[in-house]
Amino acid sequence: MAKKRLGNQTIELENSPVIISACSIVGPKEGDGPLKDYFDKILEDDLFGEDSWELAESKMVREVIKMAIDKTDYVLNQVDYIFAGDLLNQLMSTSFAVRDLKRPFFGLYGACSTMSEAISLASMIVDGGYSDLVVAATSSHFCTAERQFRFPLELGNQRPMTAQWTVTGAGCSVISSSGKGPKIKRITTGKVIDRGITDANNMGPAMAPAAYDTIKTYFDDTKDEIESFDVIATGDLGIIGGQILLEFMQKANYDISNVYMDCGIEIFDHKRQDTHSGGSGCGCSATVFNGYIYKKLLNKELNKVMLVSTGALLSPTSTLQKQSIPSIAHVVVIEN
Amino acid sequence: MAKKRLGNQTIELENSPVIISACSIVGPKEGDGPLKDYFDKILEDDLFGEDSWELAESKMVREVIKMAIDKTDYVLNQVDYIFAGDLLNQLMSTSFAVRDLKRPFFGLYGACSTMSEAISLASMIVDGGYSDLVVAATSSHFCTAERQFRFPLELGNQRPMTAQWTVTGAGCSVISSSGKGPKIKRITTGKVIDRGITDANNMGPAMAPAAYDTIKTYFDDTKDEIESFDVIATGDLGIIGGQILLEFMQKANYDISNVYMDCGIEIFDHKRQDTHSGGSGCGCSATVFNGYIYKKLLNKELNKVMLVSTGALLSPTSTLQKQSIPSIAHVVVIEN
């Protein structure tokens, strides 16, 4: 077995790469939610001065990376790799954003799991000695996602109570081989899990089994204690999916309910903001992690965190072809 | 500077991960082309027994990974990571393929650059000691790409002479920390380059500047000799893009014309097969590398190869919004 592996699916980062900086940008609705004080920038309008929502999302990616680097002693030109992706077909917002940044780029697609996918790969590359400075970023935008995955916004389509609300936001972590900040310790990479859910308006239940599989595997692989965590944060299972995850974990004798949170549940005030089962989108765990959780790690309110971004890998084509929803979740463990 | 770096964008793999096995599956048209004797499997019909072209592409990915593993002494369950992606929205063919393989998965999107993107990341993860067995795979399908990016096939739309023909095919490399086979030595990761080309029917010229940038950077970073290569193979610049690359390289005093080939030029007999400027798609460099080039490396007809898969990161949405075509190319150097 390769020397840095632990159990079946987990690796240990011997050199503990550091998240030396993190940054988040959100839209007006997210900036009106319960976590508003933790975001670095709140847009006044979701076009961000651009001609289309797609270009606005792209601008968020570009700006969040620049702002995250500006918080460090480095300049953009010293970044060796950008690991990034988004929900749009052919990663439109990311591709156009990194074009202007002129740094080597690995494009990723993990649906809403992209934040922990990007941090996983970025940390391994730094830990392995291939770079001292890497960026991991992702984004989503309510308006680009709605028209791509669902209906034109102009239609004013009614949404079922199981639906989630795609977060308008972008988040970025800057990962370095040295410096001050919380450290990335372990990574458990998820498998694609599909339990046969076909309702694209109810993605929490599709993703919960994937989150369950990767979180349980982490504890099986490492023999770590649930109680040692201050927070176990899933990406965007929402109210329905989060409940299913907790039940699955309890049935397997892993009760995480005392330390559990879901970024999609925390980001909105669901009754007041009419967001139904919760927030979703790559930008959901990206902004909650790089905004809220990172700041709590910095001020030591939190000292050991598991981030589990969760992704539903469906497409409009697969839905039309009556396929079920494959899902994935990646675990990243961060400690002070 | 991180210890494994060389110059600006290049890394050296100290432990030289080995490509212990490679496999390719192609469609009937590719199986009628000049490289037909090098592919592991040629489909009799491009639906591959499935109900849709998307599901057929997905089956190609699943089968090519299984076949590549079957050629080794390992079983699928010993694979630590699958690095894979395709051209379809939300990586439909890859997501559904890896669902059945039940191994940890990193989804990638680099358009037609995905083969060298996947090999790059897979090799770093093996070289860094995180795994002893990783798979890198990608695919494309003429019929899924045409209807997603261009027109319904039923329309029988006429194609300009600058257009390229998306390869129906999937390729897979199995990369290990030990074993017999050609070794991955160096990686130069590309930046997104955009010189303002807007014609989605002429992608060679959009991608040529990206290939030029990464290849030139490799030689600047390493001081390696062009003459030491048996082949420098771009992914799918086609006849027009390939000519532009050679001119760019010559003007910069890097004459690669003696060792240059383009997978998109080699895979079809363009006059007889009516493929205009050449083959394209993730499956193009994937099948030519894992079929033709890998077998030539094994029998020592080739001993030092640079693979430069090239990707045009446009989307139908970006084209409708009058955006130009961002492109990227990644260099992987393989030696016996």
Side-chain angles (χ1 to χ4, degrees), chain A residues 22 75 91 95 103 250 295:
Chain A
V75 294
L91 308 187
S95 303
R103 302 308 303 149
Q250 258 151 8
K295 291 193 175 71

Side-chain angles (χ1 to χ4, degrees), chain A residues 203-274:
Chain A
M203 299 215 275
M207 295 188 288
Y212 163 75
D213 190 81
T214 316
I215 298 171
K216 180 177 176 301
T217 300
Y218 170 83
F219 286 111
D220 290 344
D221 282 352
T222 61
K223 319 293 176 211
D224 208 354
E225 303 279 335
I226 292 171
E227 298 69 36
S228 69
F229 283 91
D230 296 316
V231 160
I232 294 179
T234 50
D236 51 356
L237 297 184
I239 296 164
I240 300 168
Q243 200 54 50
I244 294 172
L245 171 67
L246 289 180
E247 279 176 33
F248 279 14
M249 295 299 296
Q250 258 151 8
K251 278 191 184 155
N253 288 318
Y254 294 83
D255 185 350
I256 60 167
S257 55
N258 282 336
V259 290
Y260 179 64
M261 70 169 261
D262 179 69
C263 300
I265 295 177
E266 302 298 322
I267 194 166
F268 293 120
D269 179 346
H270 303 290
K271 285 211 171 128
R272 179 176 62 84
Q273 296 189 288
D274 198 27

Side-chain angles (χ1 to χ4, degrees), chain B residues 206-274:
Chain B
M207 296 189 287
Y212 164 75
D213 191 82
T214 316
I215 298 172
K216 181 176 175 300
T217 300
Y218 170 83
F219 286 110
D220 290 344
D221 283 353
T222 61
K223 318 293 175 209
D224 208 354
E225 303 279 337
I226 292 170
E227 297 69 36
S228 69
F229 284 91
D230 296 315
V231 159
I232 295 179
T234 49
D236 52 356
L237 297 184
I239 295 164
I240 299 168
Q243 199 54 47
I244 294 172
L245 171 66
L246 289 181
E247 278 176 33
F248 280 13
M249 295 300 296
Q250 257 152 7
K251 278 191 185 157
N253 288 319
Y254 295 83
D255 185 351
I256 60 167
S257 54
N258 282 337
V259 290
Y260 180 64
M261 68 169 261
D262 179 69
C263 301
I265 295 176
E266 301 298 323
I267 195 166
F268 294 120
D269 178 346
H270 303 291
K271 285 213 171 123
R272 179 175 63 85
Q273 297 189 289
D274 197 27

Side-chain angles (χ1 to χ4, degrees), chain A residues 2 4-5 52 54 89-90 99 102 104-105 107 109 117 127-130 132 148 190-191 194 315 321 330, chain B residues 2 4-5 52 54 89-90 99 102 104-105 107 109 117 127-130 132 148 190-191 194 315 321 330:
Chain A
K4 295 168 186 171
R5 297 192 71 78
S52 73
E54 287 77 12
N89 298 342
Q90 292 77 53
R99 177 181 65 177
K102 302 186 195 313
F105 167 58
Y109 185 80
E117 180 183 3
D127 186 75
Y130 304 106
D132 290 327
Q148 178 181 284
K191 297 178 288 203
D194 186 338
S315 80
Q321 294 186 7
H330 302 298
Chain B
K4 295 169 188 169
R5 296 192 71 78
S52 73
E54 287 76 14
N89 298 342
Q90 291 77 55
R99 175 181 67 178
K102 302 187 196 314
F105 167 58
Y109 185 79
E117 180 183 2
D127 186 75
Y130 304 105
D132 290 326
Q148 178 180 286
K191 298 179 287 203
D194 186 339
S315 81
Q321 293 185 8
H330 301 300

